[in-house]
Amino acid sequence: MASLFHQLQILVWKNWLGVKRQPLWTLVLILWPVIIFIILAITRTKFPPTAKPTWDSSTWNTCDGWMAQIFFFSCINEETDSRYRVMIAQ
């Protein structure tokens, strides 16, 4: 247990020496997250979040969205069959 504590003490001392020897880099490491946070906060106040409607299973159409792109042929019905056949044949 003493060995673990001693290794931790040496590691903290080594970190402190790095802080003392490179103060500019230490300042950058501290300020960089603060600057990013300020940019995000300003962006959030300029463009507040808007509520989007949730998905309702009663309005689902099997020929809308990604399903129509992946399973295109299963979405062709009687009304649009001739129009899409021309597009596919070309």
XYZ file of all heavy atoms in Angstrom:
754
model
N 0.826 -1.198 0.000
C 0.000 0.000 0.000
C 0.866 1.257 0.000
O 0.537 2.229 -0.642
C -0.920 -0.041 1.216
C -1.971 1.023 1.179
S -3.083 0.734 -0.187
C -4.444 1.700 0.317
N 1.968 1.182 0.716
C 2.852 2.344 0.752
C 3.472 2.586 -0.613
O 3.709 3.729 -1.005
C 3.932 2.147 1.805
N 3.713 1.509 -1.355
C 4.282 1.650 -2.680
C 3.311 2.368 -3.614
O 3.716 3.219 -4.399
C 4.624 0.264 -3.240
O 5.069 0.390 -4.562
N 2.026 2.053 -3.503
C 1.016 2.705 -4.320
C 0.933 4.197 -3.987
O 0.881 5.045 -4.879
C -0.342 2.035 -4.119
C -1.508 2.627 -4.909
C -1.294 2.428 -6.395
C -2.813 1.987 -4.475
N 0.944 4.505 -2.700
C 0.895 5.909 -2.276
C 2.145 6.649 -2.739
O 2.073 7.804 -3.167
C 0.746 6.001 -0.753
C 0.698 7.413 -0.265
C -0.416 8.198 -0.478
C 1.786 7.968 0.401
C -0.464 9.516 -0.040
C 1.758 9.268 0.842
C 0.623 10.052 0.625
N 3.283 6.005 -2.657
C 4.542 6.625 -3.077
C 4.534 6.894 -4.595
O 4.976 7.958 -5.041
C 5.723 5.730 -2.687
C 7.052 6.345 -2.952
N 7.500 7.484 -2.283
C 8.031 6.006 -3.822
C 8.690 7.804 -2.746
N 9.043 6.914 -3.680
N 4.028 5.937 -5.390
C 3.946 6.140 -6.835
C 3.001 7.296 -7.171
O 3.288 8.105 -8.056
C 3.466 4.867 -7.527
C 4.503 3.778 -7.575
C 3.972 2.524 -8.251
O 2.821 2.462 -8.647
N 4.834 1.520 -8.363
N 1.897 7.379 -6.457
C 0.962 8.484 -6.671
C 1.605 9.820 -6.316
O 1.439 10.813 -7.036
C -0.309 8.259 -5.845
C -1.377 9.332 -5.972
C -1.915 9.387 -7.394
C -2.503 9.068 -4.992
N 2.351 9.854 -5.240
C 3.031 11.080 -4.828
C 4.056 11.513 -5.877
O 4.143 12.702 -6.217
C 3.711 10.839 -3.478
C 4.343 12.064 -2.885
C 5.008 11.756 -1.547
O 5.156 10.592 -1.166
N 5.415 12.787 -0.841
N 4.802 10.577 -6.421
C 5.787 10.904 -7.452
C 5.088 11.398 -8.723
O 5.541 12.361 -9.370
C 6.682 9.682 -7.739
C 7.572 9.394 -6.529
C 7.521 9.893 -8.984
C 8.349 8.104 -6.632
N 3.988 10.774 -9.083
C 3.247 11.191 -10.268
C 2.681 12.597 -10.120
O 2.754 13.416 -11.051
C 2.125 10.190 -10.546
C 1.365 10.356 -11.847
C 2.290 10.206 -13.038
C 0.240 9.338 -11.931
N 2.144 12.911 -8.954
C 1.627 14.265 -8.700
C 2.775 15.268 -8.718
O 2.633 16.381 -9.255
C 0.861 14.308 -7.361
C 0.541 15.735 -6.954
C -0.416 13.478 -7.461
N 3.910 14.916 -8.161
C 5.076 15.811 -8.176
C 5.551 16.068 -9.608
O 5.861 17.196 -9.976
C 6.205 15.224 -7.333
C 7.450 16.045 -7.382
C 8.618 15.721 -7.995
C 7.642 17.338 -6.812
N 9.528 16.732 -7.840
C 8.952 17.741 -7.118
C 6.838 18.194 -6.063
C 9.466 18.966 -6.720
C 7.364 19.409 -5.654
C 8.659 19.792 -5.983
N 5.573 15.020 -10.422
C 5.979 15.167 -11.820
C 5.004 16.095 -12.565
O 5.425 16.936 -13.367
C 6.018 13.795 -12.487
C 6.425 13.816 -13.936
C 6.407 12.409 -14.525
C 6.700 12.458 -16.001
N 6.582 11.151 -16.628
N 3.724 15.932 -12.301
C 2.723 16.806 -12.920
C 2.932 18.253 -12.481
O 2.825 19.184 -13.291
C 1.318 16.314 -12.566
C 0.262 17.023 -13.368
O 0.531 17.533 -14.449
N -0.950 17.049 -12.842
N 3.217 18.467 -11.219
C 3.435 19.816 -10.708
C 4.670 20.459 -11.355
O 4.664 21.653 -11.662
C 3.561 19.803 -9.192
C 3.926 21.134 -8.627
C 5.080 21.458 -8.001
C 3.145 22.324 -8.661
N 5.076 22.777 -7.642
C 3.889 23.335 -8.030
C 1.894 22.635 -9.149
C 3.428 24.631 -7.891
C 1.428 23.937 -9.003
C 2.183 24.916 -8.389
N 5.716 19.669 -11.570
C 6.899 20.202 -12.244
C 6.566 20.641 -13.673
O 7.056 21.669 -14.141
C 8.017 19.152 -12.272
C 8.737 18.882 -10.964
C 9.769 17.778 -11.152
C 9.392 20.145 -10.432
N 5.721 19.869 -14.355
C 5.295 20.261 -15.699
C 4.499 21.555 -15.682
O 4.640 22.401 -16.568
N 3.667 21.736 -14.676
C 2.878 22.970 -14.549
C 3.802 24.162 -14.309
O 3.624 25.231 -14.902
C 1.848 22.825 -13.404
C 1.236 24.166 -13.032
C 0.768 21.837 -13.786
N 4.798 23.973 -13.458
C 5.725 25.073 -13.170
C 6.598 25.419 -14.375
O 6.883 26.581 -14.636
C 6.623 24.697 -11.987
C 5.981 24.949 -10.656
C 6.837 24.581 -9.472
C 8.305 24.792 -9.644
N 9.087 24.476 -8.444
N 7.037 24.392 -15.111
C 7.968 24.628 -16.208
C 7.291 25.145 -17.477
O 7.947 25.784 -18.297
C 8.716 23.333 -16.532
C 9.667 22.926 -15.447
C 10.337 21.620 -15.772
N 11.209 21.214 -14.672
C 11.685 19.998 -14.531
N 11.373 19.054 -15.410
N 12.460 19.694 -13.516
N 6.021 24.863 -17.654
C 5.312 25.297 -18.861
C 4.010 25.993 -18.475
O 2.911 25.455 -18.649
C 5.023 24.096 -19.756
C 6.266 23.409 -20.250
C 5.943 22.196 -21.102
O 4.832 21.692 -21.095
N 6.933 21.731 -21.850
N 4.107 27.225 -17.975
C 2.890 27.914 -17.515
C 1.934 28.266 -18.656
O 0.714 28.263 -18.470
C 3.422 29.167 -16.821
C 4.795 29.355 -17.364
C 5.301 28.013 -17.740
N 2.461 28.562 -19.836
C 1.590 28.896 -20.965
C 0.746 27.690 -21.373
O -0.460 27.816 -21.619
C 2.426 29.390 -22.147
C 1.640 29.824 -23.377
C 0.782 31.035 -23.055
C 2.582 30.131 -24.520
N 1.370 26.523 -21.449
C 0.636 25.318 -21.802
C -0.416 24.982 -20.751
O -1.524 24.543 -21.072
C 1.602 24.149 -21.984
C 0.920 22.879 -22.362
C 0.841 21.751 -21.636
C 0.200 22.624 -23.570
N 0.134 20.794 -22.309
C -0.282 21.309 -23.508
C -0.076 23.381 -24.698
C -1.026 20.735 -24.519
C -0.820 22.800 -25.712
C -1.280 21.499 -25.622
N -0.096 25.195 -19.490
C -1.051 24.979 -18.412
C -2.242 25.915 -18.550
O -3.393 25.506 -18.379
C -0.375 25.192 -17.044
O 0.755 24.316 -16.951
C -1.333 24.911 -15.910
N -1.977 27.157 -18.902
C -3.053 28.130 -19.101
C -3.943 27.715 -20.273
O -5.172 27.807 -20.198
C -2.452 29.517 -19.340
C -3.431 30.681 -19.405
C -4.100 30.873 -18.061
C -2.699 31.934 -19.819
N -3.328 27.251 -21.341
C -4.099 26.790 -22.497
C -4.975 25.606 -22.112
O -6.149 25.531 -22.502
C -3.156 26.423 -23.668
C -3.891 25.672 -24.762
C -2.505 27.665 -24.238
N -4.436 24.659 -21.346
C -5.207 23.496 -20.931
C -6.399 23.869 -20.060
O -7.418 23.191 -20.062
C -4.320 22.510 -20.179
C -3.339 21.707 -21.025
C -2.471 20.826 -20.129
C -4.074 20.859 -22.038
N -6.279 24.945 -19.319
C -7.381 25.390 -18.461
C -8.384 26.216 -19.255
O -9.596 26.055 -19.094
C -6.837 26.185 -17.262
C -6.039 25.249 -16.350
C -7.962 26.854 -16.491
C -5.268 25.956 -15.261
N -7.912 27.096 -20.127
C -8.813 28.006 -20.839
C -9.531 27.373 -22.021
O -10.608 27.825 -22.394
C -8.045 29.243 -21.306
C -7.613 30.207 -20.209
C -6.879 31.384 -20.808
C -8.814 30.687 -19.421
N -8.943 26.378 -22.653
C -9.558 25.791 -23.846
C -10.965 25.253 -23.577
O -11.895 25.582 -24.332
C -8.639 24.710 -24.411
C -9.160 24.103 -25.665
C -9.574 22.839 -25.841
C -9.325 24.751 -26.929
N -9.983 22.647 -27.133
C -9.855 23.810 -27.822
C -9.096 26.043 -27.387
C -10.139 24.115 -29.140
C -9.384 26.341 -28.708
C -9.893 25.382 -29.565
N -11.219 24.454 -22.553
C -12.597 24.006 -22.289
C -13.528 25.165 -21.938
O -14.714 25.139 -22.289
C -12.464 23.048 -21.108
C -11.046 22.653 -21.080
C -10.272 23.780 -21.659
N -13.006 26.180 -21.262
C -13.834 27.337 -20.913
C -14.269 28.073 -22.175
O -15.435 28.466 -22.311
C -13.067 28.283 -19.950
C -13.846 29.556 -19.701
C -12.754 27.575 -18.646
N -13.366 28.240 -23.125
C -13.697 28.923 -24.382
C -14.723 28.119 -25.166
O -15.697 28.689 -25.696
C -12.415 29.161 -25.211
C -11.545 30.201 -24.517
C -12.748 29.600 -26.624
C -10.154 30.325 -25.106
N -14.548 26.812 -25.242
C -15.512 25.964 -25.945
C -16.882 26.055 -25.284
O -17.910 26.150 -25.961
C -15.015 24.503 -25.992
C -13.727 24.386 -26.784
C -16.074 23.576 -26.556
C -13.862 24.721 -28.253
N -16.918 26.051 -23.963
C -18.190 26.160 -23.245
C -18.868 27.491 -23.530
O -20.086 27.542 -23.730
C -17.964 25.987 -21.741
C -19.217 26.168 -20.954
C -20.168 25.170 -20.908
C -19.455 27.355 -20.275
C -21.335 25.346 -20.184
C -20.616 27.538 -19.553
C -21.561 26.527 -19.508
N -18.114 28.569 -23.569
C -18.692 29.889 -23.853
C -19.268 29.924 -25.272
O -20.365 30.450 -25.495
C -17.637 30.991 -23.641
C -17.333 31.138 -22.147
C -18.098 32.318 -24.222
C -16.158 32.038 -21.834
N -18.556 29.351 -26.230
C -19.066 29.307 -27.604
C -20.366 28.516 -27.666
O -21.342 28.932 -28.312
C -18.002 28.708 -28.556
C -16.834 29.679 -28.702
C -18.609 28.380 -29.915
C -15.645 29.107 -29.439
N -20.421 27.379 -26.992
C -21.645 26.587 -26.976
C -22.796 27.321 -26.287
O -23.938 27.261 -26.737
C -21.395 25.246 -26.286
C -20.575 24.238 -27.073
C -20.281 23.016 -26.219
C -21.294 23.839 -28.340
N -22.494 28.029 -25.205
C -23.541 28.769 -24.495
C -24.093 29.902 -25.358
O -25.304 30.135 -25.401
C -22.993 29.313 -23.176
N -23.223 30.609 -26.053
C -23.677 31.693 -26.939
C -24.511 31.126 -28.078
O -25.567 31.670 -28.425
C -22.468 32.499 -27.461
C -21.846 33.293 -26.323
C -22.886 33.434 -28.594
C -20.527 33.954 -26.682
N -24.060 30.032 -28.661
C -24.818 29.409 -29.740
C -26.177 28.945 -29.255
O -27.184 29.097 -29.949
C -24.035 28.208 -30.313
O -22.741 28.648 -30.698
C -24.742 27.592 -31.486
N -26.236 28.415 -28.061
C -27.501 27.934 -27.505
C -28.482 29.078 -27.267
O -29.678 28.930 -27.475
C -27.217 27.182 -26.208
C -28.395 26.606 -25.504
C -28.896 25.388 -26.244
N -30.038 24.832 -25.565
C -30.116 23.585 -25.171
N -29.120 22.780 -25.375
N -31.194 23.140 -24.581
N -27.972 30.254 -26.848
C -28.875 31.381 -26.618
C -29.320 32.017 -27.929
O -30.441 32.512 -28.020
C -28.208 32.453 -25.734
O -26.996 32.876 -26.347
C -27.923 31.917 -24.343
N -28.470 31.989 -28.957
C -28.848 32.557 -30.259
C -29.845 31.668 -30.987
O -30.717 32.151 -31.695
C -27.606 32.750 -31.147
C -26.627 33.753 -30.616
C -27.120 35.154 -30.857
C -26.067 36.124 -30.371
N -26.493 37.486 -30.458
N -29.686 30.348 -30.863
C -30.563 29.397 -31.526
C -31.150 28.456 -30.481
O -30.635 27.352 -30.272
C -29.781 28.582 -32.567
C -29.061 29.429 -33.569
C -27.696 29.632 -33.467
C -29.746 30.034 -34.598
C -27.023 30.411 -34.384
C -29.086 30.820 -35.519
C -27.724 31.010 -35.415
N -32.231 28.870 -29.823
C -32.803 28.016 -28.778
C -33.386 26.732 -29.371
O -33.775 26.702 -30.535
C -33.902 28.885 -28.173
C -34.224 29.879 -29.216
C -32.989 30.093 -30.013
N -33.427 25.680 -28.577
C -33.959 24.415 -29.085
C -35.457 24.515 -29.343
O -36.183 25.227 -28.642
C -33.654 23.419 -27.965
C -33.503 24.251 -26.753
C -32.981 25.575 -27.203
N -35.907 23.818 -30.374
C -37.336 23.808 -30.691
C -37.863 22.390 -30.519
O -37.168 21.414 -30.787
C -37.571 24.263 -32.141
O -36.823 23.424 -33.019
C -37.127 25.702 -32.339
N -39.093 22.319 -30.089
C -39.721 21.017 -29.899
C -40.121 20.449 -31.246
O -40.681 21.139 -32.095
C -40.941 21.151 -29.003
N -39.814 19.193 -31.458
C -40.183 18.514 -32.689
C -41.263 17.491 -32.370
O -41.258 16.892 -31.298
C -38.966 17.827 -33.296
C -37.917 18.804 -33.744
C -36.769 18.093 -34.399
C -35.740 19.110 -34.848
N -34.600 18.488 -35.491
N -42.174 17.283 -33.309
C -43.229 16.302 -33.030
C -42.657 14.895 -32.945
O -41.691 14.557 -33.623
C -44.167 16.437 -34.235
C -43.327 17.026 -35.310
C -42.308 17.895 -34.617
N -43.273 14.102 -32.116
C -42.831 12.725 -31.977
C -43.452 11.869 -33.071
O -44.439 12.248 -33.697
C -43.218 12.162 -30.604
O -44.638 12.270 -30.476
C -42.540 12.938 -29.494
N -42.900 10.722 -33.287
C -43.386 9.829 -34.327
C -44.659 9.165 -33.864
O -44.780 8.706 -32.740
C -42.311 8.797 -34.629
C -42.716 7.843 -35.683
C -42.821 8.092 -37.005
C -43.080 6.473 -35.500
N -43.214 6.971 -37.665
C -43.382 5.972 -36.769
C -43.170 5.653 -34.408
C -43.773 4.657 -36.964
C -43.558 4.346 -34.602
C -43.856 3.867 -35.871
N -45.626 9.104 -34.760
C -46.905 8.488 -34.446
C -47.101 7.311 -35.388
O -47.021 7.455 -36.616
C -48.032 9.507 -34.623
C -49.375 8.953 -34.204
O -49.409 7.892 -33.559
O -50.391 9.586 -34.530
N -47.352 6.149 -34.853
C -47.460 4.957 -35.696
C -48.696 4.982 -36.581
O -48.743 4.293 -37.596
C -47.466 3.707 -34.820
O -48.600 3.729 -33.969
N -49.711 5.788 -36.235
C -50.910 5.828 -37.065
C -50.663 6.559 -38.375
O -51.398 6.366 -39.345
C -52.058 6.498 -36.299
O -51.731 7.843 -36.042
N -49.649 7.426 -38.435
C -49.375 8.170 -39.661
C -48.292 7.501 -40.509
O -47.864 8.065 -41.496
C -48.925 9.598 -39.329
O -47.730 9.528 -38.562
C -49.988 10.344 -38.569
N -47.850 6.325 -40.143
C -46.775 5.657 -40.857
C -47.260 5.150 -42.207
O -48.263 4.468 -42.316
C -46.248 4.504 -40.017
C -45.195 3.704 -40.708
C -45.342 2.467 -41.218
C -43.851 4.078 -40.957
N -44.175 2.041 -41.765
C -43.235 3.011 -41.627
C -43.109 5.210 -40.688
C -41.925 3.041 -42.030
C -41.792 5.245 -41.088
C -41.215 4.179 -41.744
N -46.534 5.502 -43.223
C -46.808 5.008 -44.562
C -45.587 4.202 -44.987
O -44.470 4.694 -44.950
C -47.042 6.182 -45.516
C -47.406 5.714 -46.908
O -47.421 4.525 -47.185
N -47.700 6.651 -47.766
N -45.772 2.992 -45.431
C -44.629 2.138 -45.739
C -43.845 2.617 -46.943
O -42.740 2.161 -47.182
C -45.087 0.694 -45.985
O -46.048 0.697 -47.036
C -45.678 0.111 -44.732
N -44.392 3.536 -47.727
C -43.687 4.020 -48.906
C -43.023 5.373 -48.667
O -42.628 6.042 -49.615
C -44.652 4.119 -50.082
S -45.169 2.500 -50.665
N -42.915 5.803 -47.435
C -42.254 7.065 -47.114
C -40.899 6.788 -46.474
O -40.700 5.801 -45.792
C -43.085 7.896 -46.128
C -44.293 8.505 -46.787
O -44.289 8.578 -48.030
O -45.227 8.890 -46.075
N -39.979 7.701 -46.672
C -38.712 7.678 -45.965
C -37.760 6.605 -46.439
O -37.744 6.214 -47.592
N -36.952 6.134 -45.503
C -35.875 5.213 -45.841
C -36.387 3.861 -46.275
O -35.720 3.153 -47.019
C -34.911 5.072 -44.678
C -35.509 4.472 -43.454
C -36.146 5.121 -42.460
C -35.519 3.093 -43.106
N -36.559 4.241 -41.512
C -36.187 2.981 -41.881
C -35.039 1.951 -43.712
C -36.390 1.776 -41.255
C -35.237 0.740 -43.077
C -35.908 0.661 -41.864
N -37.577 3.496 -45.839
C -38.128 2.215 -46.253
C -38.345 2.187 -47.760
O -38.114 1.174 -48.414
C -39.453 1.943 -45.532
C -39.314 1.677 -44.059
S -38.572 0.099 -43.723
C -39.924 -0.977 -44.091
N -38.803 3.315 -48.314
C -39.042 3.371 -49.753
C -37.729 3.306 -50.520
O -37.693 2.781 -51.629
C -39.794 4.649 -50.105
N -36.666 3.824 -49.946
C -35.384 3.803 -50.635
C -34.754 2.409 -50.600
O -34.140 1.973 -51.565
C -34.441 4.814 -50.009
C -34.898 6.240 -50.195
C -34.028 7.207 -49.419
O -33.035 6.821 -48.834
N -34.410 8.464 -49.421
N -34.909 1.714 -49.502
C -34.295 0.399 -49.378
C -35.143 -0.669 -50.069
O -34.659 -1.470 -50.855
C -34.076 0.045 -47.896
C -33.066 1.008 -47.299
C -33.610 -1.392 -47.744
C -32.879 0.844 -45.820
N -36.445 -0.654 -49.781
C -37.353 -1.665 -50.330
C -38.239 -1.008 -51.377
O -39.454 -0.985 -51.253
C -38.194 -2.280 -49.216
C -37.371 -2.828 -48.096
C -37.342 -2.205 -46.863
C -36.603 -3.961 -48.280
C -36.573 -2.706 -45.831
C -35.837 -4.471 -47.258
C -35.813 -3.841 -46.035
N -37.630 -0.479 -52.420
C -38.353 0.334 -53.400
C -39.452 -0.452 -54.094
O -40.568 0.016 -54.241
C -37.362 0.886 -54.434
C -38.011 1.731 -55.475
C -38.431 3.002 -55.171
C -38.214 1.246 -56.747
C -39.024 3.793 -56.129
C -38.809 2.026 -57.703
C -39.226 3.316 -57.391
N -39.170 -1.657 -54.503
C -40.134 -2.395 -55.307
C -41.358 -2.810 -54.506
O -42.425 -2.985 -55.059
C -39.473 -3.611 -55.948
C -38.423 -3.226 -56.943
C -37.080 -3.383 -56.646
C -38.769 -2.675 -58.157
C -36.116 -3.015 -57.557
C -37.808 -2.303 -59.076
C -36.482 -2.470 -58.775
N -41.215 -2.973 -53.205
C -42.377 -3.356 -52.398
C -43.314 -2.182 -52.169
O -44.431 -2.382 -51.723
C -41.924 -3.931 -51.056
O -41.263 -2.933 -50.319
N -42.890 -0.973 -52.494
C -43.723 0.199 -52.269
C -44.502 0.619 -53.517
O -45.296 1.531 -53.462
C -42.877 1.382 -51.805
S -42.210 1.160 -50.162
N -44.259 -0.003 -54.641
C -44.968 0.383 -55.871
C -46.396 -0.140 -55.787
O -46.625 -1.319 -55.565
C -44.253 -0.176 -57.114
C -42.868 0.441 -57.217
C -45.059 0.092 -58.364
C -42.037 -0.114 -58.341
N -47.344 0.762 -55.984
C -48.744 0.346 -55.970
C -49.337 0.500 -57.365
O -48.646 0.838 -58.321
C -49.535 1.133 -54.926
C -49.469 2.619 -55.164
O -49.125 3.057 -56.250
N -49.806 3.389 -54.162
N -50.619 0.287 -57.491
C -51.282 0.308 -58.797
C -51.184 1.677 -59.471
O -51.002 1.770 -60.672
C -52.757 -0.066 -58.624
C -52.966 -1.432 -58.019
C -52.772 -2.530 -59.026
O -53.040 -2.292 -60.207
O -52.343 -3.623 -58.631
N -51.322 2.778 -58.702
C -51.361 4.116 -59.291
C -50.015 4.535 -59.862
O -49.947 5.136 -60.920
C -51.799 5.140 -58.243
C -53.166 4.849 -57.649
C -53.423 5.701 -56.425
O -52.545 6.503 -56.056
O -54.498 5.569 -55.838
N -48.946 4.223 -59.182
C -47.633 4.702 -59.607
C -46.823 3.640 -60.326
O -45.698 3.888 -60.701
C -46.833 5.180 -58.379
O -46.719 4.096 -57.478
C -47.504 6.356 -57.729
N -47.404 2.475 -60.550
C -46.665 1.379 -61.130
C -46.125 1.718 -62.521
O -44.948 1.525 -62.797
C -47.553 0.142 -61.183
C -46.764 -1.099 -61.523
O -45.555 -1.130 -61.245
O -47.367 -2.029 -62.063
N -46.955 2.261 -63.394
C -46.515 2.544 -64.758
C -45.474 3.657 -64.778
O -44.529 3.621 -65.559
C -47.717 2.917 -65.625
O -48.318 4.102 -65.117
N -45.620 4.646 -63.931
C -44.664 5.751 -63.909
C -43.279 5.257 -63.495
O -42.272 5.595 -64.092
C -45.151 6.837 -62.934
C -44.229 8.025 -62.858
C -44.793 9.097 -61.993
N -45.176 8.558 -60.694
C -45.129 9.246 -59.571
N -44.741 10.481 -59.578
N -45.495 8.704 -58.429
N -43.220 4.402 -62.491
C -41.928 3.918 -62.023
C -41.333 2.876 -62.956
O -40.141 2.739 -63.043
C -42.044 3.360 -60.602
C -42.153 4.441 -59.570
C -43.252 4.517 -58.733
C -41.167 5.408 -59.448
C -43.358 5.514 -57.795
C -41.271 6.406 -58.510
C -42.359 6.451 -57.686
O -42.467 7.446 -56.759
N -42.151 2.128 -63.656
C -41.616 1.159 -64.609
C -40.860 1.854 -65.727
O -39.841 1.369 -66.171
C -42.741 0.313 -65.182
C -43.156 -0.790 -64.284
C -44.064 -1.736 -64.989
N -44.591 -2.710 -64.034
C -45.611 -3.471 -64.274
N -46.241 -3.400 -65.421
N -46.029 -4.324 -63.376
N -41.354 3.004 -66.150
C -40.671 3.751 -67.195
C -39.321 4.231 -66.671
O -38.317 4.150 -67.362
C -41.540 4.931 -67.680
C -40.754 5.825 -68.622
C -42.804 4.421 -68.333
N -39.298 4.704 -65.439
C -38.057 5.204 -64.871
C -37.058 4.066 -64.687
O -35.876 4.234 -64.926
C -38.322 5.876 -63.521
C -39.058 7.191 -63.643
S -39.509 7.870 -62.043
C -37.946 8.031 -61.273
N -37.527 2.903 -64.311
C -36.629 1.780 -64.086
C -36.121 1.237 -65.404
O -34.957 0.887 -65.547
C -37.360 0.683 -63.282
C -37.660 1.175 -61.875
C -36.527 -0.583 -63.222
C -38.578 0.288 -61.107
N -36.979 1.177 -66.423
C -36.587 0.631 -67.706
C -35.522 1.476 -68.396
O -34.725 0.958 -69.161
C -37.814 0.501 -68.609
N -35.510 2.734 -68.156
C -34.532 3.595 -68.810
C -33.236 3.426 -68.150
O -32.256 3.264 -68.159
C -34.932 5.058 -68.735
C -36.172 5.349 -69.528
C -36.645 6.775 -69.315
O -36.147 7.489 -68.457
N -37.600 7.187 -70.103
